[in-house]
Amino acid sequence: MRKSVLWLATLFVGLNLLPLTAQTTNGNEPSLSAQQSGWKLIWNEEFDTDGPYNREVWEAEQGFVRNHEAQWYQEDNAYQKNGCLVIEARKEKRKNPTYKSEGRRDWRSEREYIEYTSSSLTTRRSFSFLYGRLEVRAKIPTAGGAWPAIWLLGKDMPWPSCGEIDVMEYYRIKDVPHILANAAWGNNQQYSAVWNSKAIPFSHFTEKDSQWAEKFHIWRMDWDAESIRIYLDDELLNSIPLSQTVNGSIGQHLNPFMRPQYLLLNLAIGGDNGGKIDDSAMPMKYEIDYVRVWSSPASSSSSRERNSRRRENVFRDEIILSDPCILADSLSQTYYMTGTGGQLWTSKDLNFWTGPYRVAETNPDSWMGSRPQIWAAELHQYKGKYYYFATFTNESIKIDTVRGNVIPRRASHVLVSDVPEGPYRPMKDETYLPEKQPTLDGTFWIDTDGKPYMVYCGEWLQNWDGTMEKIQLKPDLSGSVGQGKVIFRASDSPWSREVEDGRVRPNKVTDGPYLFRTGTGRLGMIWTSWIDDVYTQGVAYSESGTLDGPWIHEPKPITPPNFGHGMLFRALDGSWLMSVHSHKNVNGRYIRVPHLFEVDFSGDKLEVGKKIEGEWKPKNE
């Protein structure tokens, strides 16, 4: 099974990856189905060289990990031999280093001895991808107690809201061997999953080939924005529509399978599903010939075409856009709208728009990488220049792990342009906010001391109680000064809440801050969170009139249910409006559309008026 090595250390599979040409020997060509349909190989592991596996790619789990399994995971049980990665389960007894003879214990620490060892390898820190084709050629052990798997997990949330795809599991159900193809996602209860599972009796395969267990087979997953389809030797085992895979309230109603996932290869023994262990079959060997990930150039090209195609005279509520921010530029007498995605729309009347245009140009040699995700962009005019405040995410850089959740590098940053239509480019400072803290939704404010500030959110996935923070900016906004300071937390709000473990508690999320000053000089902030599964916006006021607060939150939300991430702007006719997006579930997918509300804060507080239906008319018409 010798094959020539072709490996690309791709850390995130997006739409603009360089295609690779697979070169193998001894007849082990990439699958014809992939070649003939134009799929392009973008990442692979061929396991050619005898000896240790590549530890720059594969990270070994350690200890007793999950599902009350019998094995202790360790590095030593995985190695490369004869062109394969071998994961070997062994019967060997030794002391459990996590054993506790008394006090608070769980199933991991109450075992005095390790009875079995094996390995579980992941690409959590080296490789993840969004959409494509995964192929794994492997020979699996089928003796009693064997529980081999090929699976994927997301990184942005705890399980199961992170999403789980089981391309292959083998174990016994009521002592009958089965091969399974599954996906799981979150519901409204912590650590409780919704499953789409197909369990096929092993006899289905052995009736066709009595020597099935002695041979290598190809497991394949085809994954796109519509579905996940899992195959074994080109036989479809399960088709999972992504319209059904939306998390509950704990997972913030996001679809985990529209986010990157990383790979896991493991051989578990016994536990919740492995069944009775056949010691006579030890050592068990799970052999993986190769792992390959492909992208479809057809889908990538169509995505790029959609992203770059400019449309004329598109009515406001026909645009799909999260976090809409509108700048009314008096010099050009034009409205500029941006948001998530790094693109721009233009309009002369707030009703009909032209776009989108790509306007954010990042430095691929910076921490952002070549294609960062761009969220919640805002446009601000300041001292003759135009500034683009946005959140950038580089999935390939991992900054923290909290409660099992791996957190990527994510931070609010500022780009600059001489004109409102851009392009917006980075300034000299690479870092505005701490590298090890995930921050988002940065907005701009000049406080009473005359100094510029960024107000931003500290992400709840790290601190488990989202923060609202401020940091001073340099006079030209090219970087930050000093340290950030927390000005309030999500739990301070009286209106945002969630149900967790059967208890009503404050929601963890802070999102979308935007600042304003009322006619009486009162400093206010609109911001967004959740009430159970309802996306909602509230308002808080600073008692000191400065960013330092203290901040007092109004008891009730200020927008209708499922409208949020609001921003305030003054239209060219002088009237004040609020732009928000609606948050709607359409066939299991969340659609966000820009909307306008009338607002009045000429008095002591912000009053949100009617939602503008149809065309907006200036006051003088």
Side-chain angles (χ1 to χ4, degrees), residues 54-73:
N54 189 340
R55 283 170 171 77
E56 292 184 1
V57 176
W58 301 98
E59 175 188 6
E61 294 189 289
Q62 185 74 21
F64 295 124
V65 178
R66 62 181 73 85
N67 300 324
H68 306 94
E69 294 158 1
Q71 81 289 335
W72 174 272
Y73 279 137

Side-chain angles (χ1 to χ4, degrees), residues 581-593:
H581 66 240
S582 58
H583 187 86
K584 186 177 182 181
N585 186 329
V586 178
N587 296 324
R589 299 176 67 179
Y590 281 102
I591 305 298
R592 291 178 166 180
V593 175

Side-chain angles (χ1 to χ4, degrees), residues 169-174 176-180 199-202 205:
E169 286 189 284
Y170 169 91
Y171 57 75
R172 283 166 164 74
I173 301 174
K174 296 182 178 179
V176 177
H178 283 73
I179 284 179
L180 296 94
I200 301 94
F202 190 46
F205 305 99

Side-chain angles (χ1 to χ4, degrees), residues 310-330:
R310 187 180 70 182
R311 294 185 290 161
E312 305 281 349
N313 296 322
V314 182
F315 194 68
R316 185 178 58 249
D317 62 9
E318 296 174 1
I319 297 171
I320 305 298
L321 180 66
S322 296
D323 316 322
C325 175
I326 297 175
L327 170 71
D329 184 58
S330 58

